[in-house]
Amino acid sequence: MEEIYAKFVSQKISKTRWRPVPAGSLQTAETFATGSWDNEENRVSLWSIGDFGNLDSDGGFEGDHQLLCDIKHHGDVMDLQFFDQERIVAASSTGSVTLFLHHPNNQTLSVGQQWTAAHYHTSPGSPSCRSAPCTGVVCSNPEIVTVGEDGRINLFRADHKEAVRTIDNADSSTLHAVTFLRTPEILTVNSIGQLKIWDFRQQGNEPSQILSLTGDRVPLHCVDRHPNQQHVVATGGQDGMLSIWDVRQGTMPVSLLKAHEAEMWEVHFHPSNPDHLFTCSEDGSLWHWDASTDAPEKSSLFHEGGRSSIFLFHSISNQANVHQSVISSWLSTDPAKGRIEITSLLPNRTLSVNSLDVLGPCLVCGTDAEAIYVTRQLFS
Amino acid sequence: MNMLSAVQLIPGVNSSKKQMCFDWGPGEMLVCETSFNKKEKSETVPGCPFIYIIRKDVDVYSQILRKLFNESHGIFVGLQRIEEELTGKSRKAQLVRVSKNYRSVIRACMEEMHQVAIAAKDPACSCQFSSQVSILSAMELIWNLCEILFIEVAPAGPLLLHLLDWVRLHVCEVDNLLADVLGSENPRKHESFWKLVTILVLQGRLDEARQMLSKEADSSPTSAGMCRILGDLMRTMPVLSPGTTQTLTELELKWQHWHEECERHLQDGTFASSPHLESLCKIMLGDEAALLEQKELLNNWYHFLVTRLLYSHPTVKPIDLHFYAQSSLDLFLGGESSPEPLDNILMAAFEFDIHQVIKECSIALSNWWFVAHLTDLLDHCKLLQSHNLYFGSNMREFLLLEYASGLFAHHSLWQLGVDYFDYCPELGRVSLELHIERIPLSTEQKALKVLRICEQRQMTEQVRSICKILAMKAVRNNRLGSALSWSIRAKDAAFATLVSDRFLRDYCERGCFSDLDLIDNLGPAMMLSDRLTFLGKYREFHRLYGEKRFVDAASLLLSLMTSQIAPRSFWMTLLTDALPLLEQKQVIFSAEQTYELMRCLEDLTSGRPVHGEPDAQRLQDDDIETTKVEMLRLALARNLARAIIKEGSLEGS
């Protein structure tokens, strides 16, 4: 993690996402998309970290990412996902959901499909509706699921003009994030500390399962599912806690890990190396959690220059009933072994790190200090 | 430098025909035409229908300068965290490093602005960028000089080396020229050959000048001898090399010898046959007339000053600087033109008058960034301790507050302003409180960020107000669950009561609860207000009933009334809820509980004066209500009978 490149981009970055590499190809990540927020005019931009025909093989500008193209986006970009290689879905604070098309030939972006007023409030007494911010989006070709401050869940298909399915009043509070558990099941997290599982095969507007943090109802801001073990889910909360859940059993998290000092905005399992987890927070930090057990001489020491932080690790449910099969390293909660090593990836604290994404050895994150950080040597 | 902007006209507004009115904002001013007419004329002139927003801090809106603000913010915060314990050398080294970081950010910004200026197609646009480049360049020039004089505090000897670097950095056209000449087929024949050599000598880059001379010597045998002699003089000029133990006196002695040798060559007419070489030799003697002949190559008076010092007073003391500076300025301008703001600023720096530097910069520059950061850095060097303003706090704080207020006026940069306010011990907090309340809360995510800022600083009043705003918004959008969450977070009992009432009203209308996921999970938050407690408990009653735990449900229902948690207006509903329990096959309410229920019913129907007439009136008026009461009385009586029998027989057995 020696080389981390920063670039100031004159807009606060709300989301960063790698473009997926074609399945089975040996390519590494080289293009990513960003969305901005809180600007008079917000944008969705595409950046390249490519070598531009190996011109810079001497290392001169190798790490610097260059703007490929960008397009105006109405409202804050609340969430951003690649639909496929050429298409990006953006969620807007104006309640609309937009599918952008990237044309690699002439490096431009255009609007492919737009669902305006996908999220809205209905005011009592008046038939007019006010738009509500769309807070999260997740794609699994051809489906797009969006959630919003209006507590609504929408299911879109890229080729349909109307929503395929809408669950009104799915949540009494704000839905903050959504992810696929396994099609057609989705997971949502809300602002009263609940994790809900929805099954699109079921009619009605009731979730098939509710899991929740006990007590303080701390809002959950992000959710990610283990790429291989689909029952393992990680969430991040307003108090900066990382919670690991086993959705097969119990209604409470398997473990709660004290992490950041403020809102955890995003959590991501490494897609191909899921013993590694990445989190970023409002407190301006970006952490790499390493739970791989094969690493020699792992200590539970907190590796961050000079900062003393208490690292609490308490298990809630005991694992007496574990099967002999593969146990996820995230579910084994033996504090004595202290198997998680944490590294802070950003050199010095800045303003909030709003978003991060990992793909292969590459990581990208964006901050409120209007900087995008990229590294291409995560595991070196 | 584009300084002291003149009167700015607002397009479309004619102040000679119409009266104007205005209002000050934190970083902006509102201007509009009034409907009053001057000179009592009838309204013939069509008025301007717009309200103008005049921004005083235009630079905040520049895309490129945003990078400067963001990057320097990080440096600023780092500087505030520099340990106070660090003293002496390590502290000074730290401060110099910080200063260099600031300058490199200015430079990066300048370079980007320069690229944009070149690439701009619109000439007006390009011109605007170019003027920005020159402002940035001037800022860096001033900062660099301040760094040398106030932060580095270079003593005699090293001082001149620093000043030379300073001039070399800012008069950098020579590098392009050098590449140009060396790149040509025959450098010696290049038209700017002698110009280049002269500039190199003027900048004290004698090694490079010597190499150029050797090229001349190689190709022209007639002047080879002269070139060699001058080259030798260049080589032997004594310079202070950092890291050696050489004392200043030694250097001065050696330098005196060298100077005399140059003098001797000039008087002997060694270079008489080559005017170029002779003029170079004169320059190296610090001859003022010869230097002034090169006015065009020198560009400006401070270059003249440094060259003059290099070749006549290489061990100049900081204290004597202002004397040479003033005379250099006078000589260079020669009464032809008056000094510009930049000249005054540099002169004030040479006079070690920090306050004058800051004052002049504040007047001349179009933004607060420069003075705020420079003053803060100088304050960390403990150079401004004694100075207090007659208004507000000290100068550092005053400037930081101005800068941060400018950031807060910006729709996006406000987040940076927070940290600046944090480091203003006296007025920072109140300023932050006033500004943070004015941030528009467009999404919950943004609101959360603002909330976090307030919570970290224990600004309870602002936290309350933000939560209340969000709760109100949620109510207006019919999002009762959200509204309740926000009022719980704000610990706003009154609002929680209001929202709970809405929930209960909805229940009465629809017969079912909405937002169960929230109400079922209230936990300790339920204690916030009585009404909220009632809402939670009443819902619990429904759950117990649904789970067929009738005994628990019954005692809970009763306790809601006897403990006075339930609002009296809701009692009838509660009693009606008791009906099915009374009609169950097994006895659920004990005799004692039944008495309690009866008392509640009687309390309600007797229309006690405390409760006022309307309720009793309504009860009597409504036929259905009367029937309900009758049914209740019947059910209660029957239950009482069954309970007495059951209790009696239990005791008997």
Side-chain angles (χ1 to χ4, degrees):
Chain A
M1 270 310 299
E2 309 276 295
E3 295 186 69
I4 186 150
Y5 295 93
K7 188 176 180 117
F8 286 85
V9 293
S10 297
Q11 50 189 353
K12 291 198 275 193
I13 299 296
S14 56
K15 288 290 158 186
T16 55
R17 294 285 177 258
W18 288 110
R19 183 167 74 185
V21 290
S25 85
L26 292 172
Q27 265 180 305
T28 56
E30 60 171 26
T31 308
F32 63 89
T34 63
S36 75
W37 78 285
D38 205 24
N39 227 348
E40 266 176 336
E41 189 183 290
N42 291 294
R43 313 194 81 85
V44 169
S45 320
L46 266 184
W47 306 79
S48 169
I49 59 163
D51 288 339
F52 298 108
N54 289 327
L55 274 176
D56 306 317
S57 52
D58 52 31
F61 298 96
E62 211 182 331
D64 214 356
H65 32 284
Q66 304 296 325
L67 181 68
L68 285 179
C69 50
D70 61 356
I71 188 167
K72 222 172 109 175
H73 181 265
H74 190 48
D76 295 348
V77 178
M78 301 292 286
D79 202 358
L80 200 64
Q81 294 290 341
F82 271 91
F83 183 76
D84 54 24
Q85 290 278 309
E86 266 92 42
R87 286 182 282 185
I88 310 165
V89 185
S92 163
S93 62
T94 60
S96 64
V97 179
T98 315
L99 189 70
F100 291 105
L101 290 173
H102 175 224
H103 310 281
N105 302 330
N106 53 0
Q107 288 301 358
T108 50
L109 281 167
S110 66
V111 176
Q113 168 82 281
Q114 192 167 43
W115 296 275
T116 48
H119 291 272
Y120 56 92
H121 293 297
T122 43
S123 335
S126 75
S128 71
C129 31
R130 257 179 293 226
S131 67
C134 174
T135 52
V137 58
V138 68
C139 313
S140 167
N141 202 344
E143 287 172 338
I144 300 167
V145 179
T146 67
V147 296
E149 272 185 25
D150 55 356
R152 188 172 274 117
I153 300 175
N154 285 312
L155 174 67
F156 297 105
R157 254 180 242 277
D159 45 0
H160 283 55
K161 279 209 155 54
E162 299 298 321
V164 178
R165 172 91 189 268
T166 296
I167 306 178
D168 286 325
N169 258 326
D171 205 301
S172 60
S173 53
T174 298
L175 287 170
H176 281 146
V178 60
T179 190
F180 272 107
L181 188 59
R182 47 191 171 252
T183 25
E185 280 181 305
I186 57 160
L187 268 173
T188 60
V189 289
N190 67 11
S191 64
I192 52 172
Q194 293 169 334
L195 185 69
K196 294 184 182 177
I197 301 175
W198 306 81
D199 190 337
F200 282 121
R201 285 167 299 198
Q202 291 175 11
Q203 292 306 311
N205 59 355
E206 293 299 316
S208 57
Q209 198 182 341
I210 300 183
L211 299 94
S212 66
L213 295 169
T214 45
D216 293 336
R217 310 173 315 113
V218 180
L220 293 175
H221 287 295
C222 51
V223 59
D224 195 28
R225 187 209 62 197
H226 195 288
N228 310 332
Q229 290 153 322
Q230 299 182 328
H231 55 279
V232 181
V233 169
T235 62
Q238 180 149 293
D239 52 0
M241 284 270 206
L242 172 69
S243 318
I244 308 286
W245 311 69
D246 182 347
V247 295
R248 291 173 310 186
Q249 44 183 300
T251 57
M252 289 189 300
V254 176
S255 57
L256 281 172
L257 301 155
K258 190 165 170 18
H260 301 279
E261 283 160 19
E263 285 87 354
M264 183 187 291
W265 291 127
E266 277 193 22
V267 56
H268 287 282
F269 284 103
H270 193 282
S272 53
N273 206 349
D275 280 344
H276 297 262
L277 185 99
F278 299 85
T279 60
C280 64
S281 159
E282 174 74 20
D283 68 7
S285 54
L286 171 68
W287 286 3
H288 174 185
W289 306 64
D290 182 357
S292 53
T293 45
D294 56 330
E297 292 291 313
K298 272 279 163 340
S299 70
S300 64
L301 279 178
F302 190 89
H303 291 265
E304 196 186 357
R307 214 179 74 90
S308 63
S309 170
I310 311 150
F311 180 38
L312 275 180
F313 194 130
H314 44 143
S315 62
I316 288 175
S317 72
N318 62 358
Q319 291 287 306
N321 53 349
V322 214
H323 311 287
Q324 287 294 325
S325 62
V326 193
I327 315 158
S328 168
S329 47
W330 296 106
L331 292 183
S332 59
T333 53
D334 187 351
K337 285 185 184 162
R339 281 191 288 197
I340 300 182
E341 189 185 23
I342 307 172
T343 336
S344 175
L345 296 187
L346 289 185
N348 37 17
R349 291 263 181 118
T350 61
L351 295 180
S352 169
V353 183
N354 292 325
S355 178
L356 75 96
D357 200 18
V358 273
L359 185 65
C362 304
L363 178 143
V364 59
C365 72
T367 70
D368 274 346
E370 305 188 346
I372 300 175
Y373 295 87
V374 173
T375 178
R376 296 203 273 180
Q377 285 121 347
L378 261 186
F379 303 110
S380 64
Chain B
M1 270 172 93
N2 173 25
M3 290 170 157
L4 274 177
S5 56
V7 176
Q8 293 256 340
L9 289 174
I10 306 166
V13 173
N14 193 344
S15 56
S16 58
K17 295 224 175 83
K18 285 276 190 174
Q19 273 195 6
M20 312 293 296
C21 66
F22 70 94
D23 191 28
W24 288 105
E28 293 156 342
M29 189 171 75
L30 293 176
V31 174
C32 66
E33 287 184 357
T34 63
S35 54
F36 297 114
N37 267 345
K38 280 182 184 173
K39 301 170 200 162
E40 311 273 329
K41 256 195 238 166
S42 59
E43 191 136 344
T44 48
V45 190
C48 171
F50 300 112
I51 295 176
Y52 289 89
I53 300 172
I54 315 258
R55 288 164 171 171
K56 63 173 178 184
D57 207 353
V58 196
D59 287 355
V60 173
Y61 297 88
S62 152
Q63 286 294 308
I64 297 167
L65 287 182
R66 273 177 83 156
K67 297 180 187 182
L68 175 72
F69 302 142
N70 273 293
E71 217 170 339
S72 56
H73 165 262
I75 303 173
F76 173 83
V77 173
L79 172 62
Q80 312 307 311
R81 290 184 189 147
I82 283 189
E83 301 282 313
E84 282 299 321
E85 297 96 71
L86 277 179
T87 45
K89 275 209 169 139
S90 62
R91 186 181 167 84
K92 191 172 123 182
Q94 279 270 25
L95 291 169
V96 171
R97 204 170 47 82
V98 169
S99 174
K100 288 194 167 139
N101 285 345
Y102 275 127
R103 283 202 292 124
S104 77
V105 177
I106 303 179
R107 285 216 147 244
C109 214
M110 194 166 88
E111 264 152 41
E112 187 174 348
M113 195 79 88
H114 185 62
Q115 296 301 324
V116 174
I118 292 170
K121 290 188 181 84
D122 176 19
C125 197
S126 167
C127 179
Q128 203 187 341
F129 284 123
S130 301
S131 82
Q132 286 274 16
V133 172
S134 61
I135 292 175
L136 283 169
S137 150
M139 289 208 275
E140 212 257 334
L141 179 82
I142 301 166
W143 192 300
N144 197 352
L145 185 62
C146 291
E147 180 184 307
I148 294 167
L149 297 177
F150 306 135
I151 303 167
E152 192 100 48
V153 205
L159 174 65
L160 186 73
L161 298 181
H162 282 297
L163 288 176
L164 265 177
D165 285 339
W166 174 61
V167 161
R168 284 173 193 160
L169 193 63
H170 291 275
V171 185
C172 48
E173 296 86 8
V174 62
D175 293 314
N176 292 335
L177 191 64
L178 188 68
D180 198 21
V181 170
L182 286 178
S184 68
E185 247 171 62
N186 187 354
R188 202 180 64 85
K189 292 273 186 261
H190 195 279
E191 51 175 359
S192 303
F193 178 80
W194 285 108
K195 181 180 165 192
L196 174 67
V197 178
T198 314
I199 295 177
L200 287 174
V201 173
L202 288 173
Q203 293 203 353
R205 293 161 71 166
L206 294 181
D207 283 339
E208 286 158 276
R210 210 150 50 80
Q211 279 164 14
M212 299 302 290
L213 277 187
S214 70
K215 286 192 200 311
E216 167 74 11
D218 290 346
S219 54
S220 135
T222 46
S223 58
M226 286 188 290
C227 285
R228 195 176 44 77
I229 293 169
L230 193 64
D232 278 346
L233 285 177
M234 287 174 174
R235 190 170 49 79
T236 52
M237 177 177 166
V239 278
L240 189 77
S241 43
T244 58
T245 52
Q246 193 183 34
T247 63
L248 271 191
T249 344
E250 277 172 352
L251 178 75
E252 271 169 6
L253 211 64
K254 278 190 192 162
W255 189 83
Q256 205 57 46
H257 279 298
W258 173 81
H259 193 74
E260 279 161 16
E261 199 186 340
C262 291
E263 189 92 58
R264 196 166 44 76
H265 277 294
L266 190 66
Q267 254 140 44
D268 293 352
T270 313
F271 310 115
S273 58
S274 165
H276 284 303
L277 293 178
E278 187 165 35
S279 112
L280 287 180
C281 184
K282 277 186 183 165
I283 292 172
M284 286 164 65
L285 275 166
D287 183 287
E288 273 164 21
L291 282 172
L292 283 172
E293 270 173 35
Q294 310 297 340
K295 222 172 182 175
E296 262 179 30
L297 299 184
L298 283 168
N299 271 322
N300 45 50
W301 66 273
Y302 44 90
H303 192 344
F304 172 57
L305 164 71
V306 175
T307 310
R308 189 176 155 212
L309 289 173
L310 172 67
Y311 293 118
S312 52
H313 308 278
T315 56
V316 63
K317 292 194 190 73
I319 197 127
D320 297 326
L321 260 183
H322 75 274
F323 163 73
Y324 294 111
Q326 189 62 57
S327 69
S328 299
L329 176 63
D330 294 343
L331 279 171
F332 196 82
L333 295 183
E336 287 164 26
S337 53
S338 52
E340 287 184 19
L342 176 62
D343 301 329
N344 292 333
I345 294 168
L346 294 178
M347 188 56 75
F350 283 123
E351 283 166 5
F352 286 86
D353 188 347
I354 296 179
H355 297 119
Q356 190 63 25
V357 173
I358 292 164
K359 191 179 153 191
E360 297 264 353
C361 288
S362 309
I363 297 169
L365 294 169
S366 53
N367 64 54
W368 289 107
W369 179 88
F370 180 79
V371 275
H373 286 86
L374 183 63
T375 310
D376 173 62
L377 180 60
L378 295 177
D379 189 69
H380 278 268
C381 300
K382 312 223 182 297
L383 290 169
L384 292 166
Q385 244 71 350
S386 60
H387 194 81
N388 275 306
L389 298 176
Y390 57 90
F391 51 91
S393 175
N394 59 24
M395 184 154 72
R396 167 186 175 272
E397 181 157 334
F398 172 79
L399 293 171
L400 286 178
L401 289 175
E402 280 297 319
Y403 174 62
S405 307
L407 291 177
F408 258 92
H410 190 273
H411 52 85
S412 183
L413 291 173
W414 56 273
Q415 271 174 303
L416 298 179
V418 177
D419 281 313
Y420 289 92
F421 282 137
D422 275 353
Y423 291 106
C424 294
E426 228 166 298
L427 297 171
R429 166 113 186 176
V430 274
S431 308
L432 180 60
E433 284 171 0
L434 288 174
H435 277 102
I436 203 97
E437 284 180 339
R438 287 163 175 76
I439 301 289
L441 305 172
S442 47
T443 64
E444 278 192 17
Q445 175 135 348
K446 186 170 177 184
L448 285 172
K449 281 175 186 274
V450 179
L451 260 183
R452 176 60 64 178
I453 289 169
C454 297
E455 278 175 352
Q456 275 169 347
R457 289 156 185 82
Q458 277 96 42
M459 292 159 57
T460 38
E461 200 47 52
Q462 282 68 29
V463 170
R464 275 251 300 282
S465 120
I466 292 166
C467 289
K468 185 131 192 175
I469 291 168
L470 292 167
M472 275 309 291
K473 264 191 185 172
V475 167
R476 239 179 286 137
N477 290 330
N478 216 11
R479 303 276 305 146
L480 295 185
S482 253
L484 192 55
S485 298
W486 284 116
S487 42
I488 289 172
R489 184 153 178 192
K491 301 207 167 42
D492 186 339
F495 207 80
T497 303
L498 191 138
V499 178
S500 308
D501 277 341
R502 279 280 300 270
F503 269 116
L504 293 171
R505 205 181 72 201
D506 285 1
Y507 168 75
C508 290
E509 280 168 12
R510 283 190 236 143
C512 66
F513 278 107
S514 58
D515 302 333
L516 287 181
D517 50 354
L518 175 66
I519 301 171
D520 281 348
N521 290 291
L522 283 173
M526 201 191 280
M527 310 309 286
L528 182 59
S529 89
D530 278 356
R531 200 57 50 84
L532 186 58
T533 317
F534 171 66
L535 176 66
K537 288 287 170 194
Y538 185 53
R539 164 60 194 156
E540 197 179 319
F541 161 75
H542 276 260
R543 213 177 49 229
L544 291 173
Y545 187 87
E547 290 165 7
K548 300 211 186 305
R549 292 163 62 189
F550 295 132
V551 178
D552 294 337
S555 62
L556 178 59
L557 188 70
L558 187 61
S559 72
L560 282 177
M561 281 184 283
T562 52
S563 64
Q564 306 284 337
I565 290 175
R568 198 167 280 263
S569 58
F570 215 77
W571 280 25
M572 202 59 217
T573 317
L574 293 181
L575 287 167
T576 319
D577 283 332
L579 256 182
L581 289 170
L582 293 167
E583 299 291 342
Q584 289 287 329
K585 269 193 187 125
Q586 74 270 42
V587 183
I588 290 157
F589 286 104
S590 68
E592 203 176 326
Q593 286 177 320
T594 318
Y595 285 132
E596 292 270 3
L597 279 176
M598 290 168 118
R599 194 176 52 80
C600 292
L601 182 64
E602 289 317 305
D603 275 1
L604 200 61
T605 46
S606 64
R608 292 190 310 181
V610 189
H611 194 59
E613 283 303 297
D615 257 337
Q617 198 70 37
R618 192 168 55 83
L619 280 175
Q620 280 167 8
D621 285 353
D622 206 332
D623 260 357
I624 306 164
E625 290 296 313
T626 336
T627 329
K628 228 186 232 177
V629 172
E630 291 308 316
M631 276 171 65
L632 268 171
R633 286 207 173 114
L634 183 63
L636 283 167
R638 276 171 34 191
N639 188 70
L640 183 61
R642 283 158 63 201
I644 291 172
I645 292 169
K646 190 186 165 208
E647 281 160 32
S649 55
L650 267 176
E651 272 167 50
S653 61

